[in-house]
Amino acid sequence: MECVVQGIIETQHVEALEILLQGLCGVRKQGLRIHELCLKSVPNLGSVESEIRLVCDLEKPEDTWTVRHVGGPMRGSGAEKSSFLVRPVQESKITKNALIFFKNIGYKLDHEHLRVGFAFHFQRDALITVTVSSINKMLKLHAIDDSVPVTPGIHLVEVTAPTSSTNYNEVVASVSSFCEYLAPLLHLSKPGVSTGVVPTAAAAAASLMSDGRGTK
């Protein structure tokens, strides 16, 4: 399972967020360039629609493909009250012919996009990953070099951490504590819950940029 929260930030403040994350995470950022295809099942595969994602890491020397299945969110009174989404996730490495394979067994391509940005992977009380990326749509099928932002001027920020039934409370506490440091720049919540940009972002970004330039 994974614990996840998302938020948005204006592109003009991304550099300030990077400065803040560099200080908080204590590790170097990694480039992010991900081609993601969303496939959905057709009716003959069952009454319940299934969705899988084929993900290609374009930052690797050779294109590396992964099939990713994300299950439904954890339910219950505790889950409903939490600001975090917890969901089962399964991943497996696959070959570049995976799209043909899944189409042959009854899946169809629903949409695809290109995520471009950076990521931080670091260890606190939990293994946390922060990604900051622009989501781009292809103007032509699979044309990753011919893509445009879905929401110009906006970047998506996602914080995730693997969890299980045995360490759920510890992981949520660790991610929650980390996210508090980002609050002046953006608000993080469950995926699908739009909260917009925060009014303090411009002032916080200006302060971080000033401090960041002063320490270089």
Side-chain angles (χ1 to χ4, degrees):
M1 296 193 298
E2 73 173 7
C3 172
V4 56
V5 286
Q6 292 180 344
I8 59 173
I9 187 171
E10 291 180 282
T11 301
Q12 62 181 325
H13 301 322
V14 166
E15 187 178 353
L17 176 61
E18 181 184 339
I19 292 172
L20 177 59
L21 289 172
Q22 188 72 64
L24 291 172
C25 303
V27 296
R28 291 181 177 274
K29 71 174 183 180
Q30 297 181 5
L32 184 75
R33 194 162 183 262
I34 300 291
H35 182 199
E36 187 167 313
L37 300 94
C38 177
L39 281 70
K40 293 187 176 181
S41 60
V42 293
N44 65 303
L45 287 180
S47 57
V48 179
E49 185 179 65
S50 172
E51 177 181 303
I52 60 172
R53 294 179 180 269
L54 304 182
V55 181
C56 182
D57 186 349
L58 301 175
E59 284 289 317
K60 298 290 178 63
E62 293 184 6
D63 292 353
T64 303
W65 286 88
T66 301
V67 58
R68 177 177 169 90
H69 178 264
V70 178
M74 186 176 73
R75 300 191 180 279
S77 58
E80 295 299 326
K81 295 176 183 178
S82 174
S83 59
F84 299 89
L85 183 72
V86 178
R87 59 193 183 188
V89 174
Q90 294 179 318
E91 293 185 345
S92 180
K93 298 296 183 184
I94 52 175
T95 71
K96 61 182 179 181
N97 297 319
L99 180 58
I100 297 174
F101 170 76
F102 281 105
K103 282 185 174 180
N104 286 340
I105 64 173
Y107 282 84
K108 62 179 181 179
L109 179 64
D110 184 70
H111 64 273
E112 62 179 333
H113 61 255
L114 180 70
R115 296 175 59 195
V116 180
F118 56 87
F120 287 91
H121 308 275
F122 61 100
Q123 182 76 46
R124 289 170 73 96
D125 293 328
L127 179 61
I128 299 176
T129 295
V130 182
T131 61
V132 182
S133 59
S134 168
I135 310 299
N136 301 274
K137 62 182 179 181
M138 280 60 150
L139 300 179
K140 297 179 181 178
L141 187 65
H142 308 329
I144 57 176
D145 293 325
D146 188 19
S147 62
V148 295
V150 174
T151 51
I154 294 292
H155 272 58
L156 174 69
V157 181
E158 186 173 76
V159 181
T160 62
T163 186
S164 67
S165 58
T166 59
N167 69 351
Y168 167 75
N169 290 330
E170 291 81 0
V171 170
V172 167
S174 179
V175 175
S176 178
S177 174
F178 172 77
C179 290
E180 289 178 2
Y181 292 105
L182 308 182
L185 282 175
L186 74 156
H187 179 73
L188 295 160
S189 59
K190 293 179 180 178
V193 179
S194 178
T195 55
V197 297
V198 298
T200 57
S207 176
L208 284 163
M209 293 297 291
S210 176
D211 292 344
R213 290 194 181 102
T215 58
K216 290 181 180 179

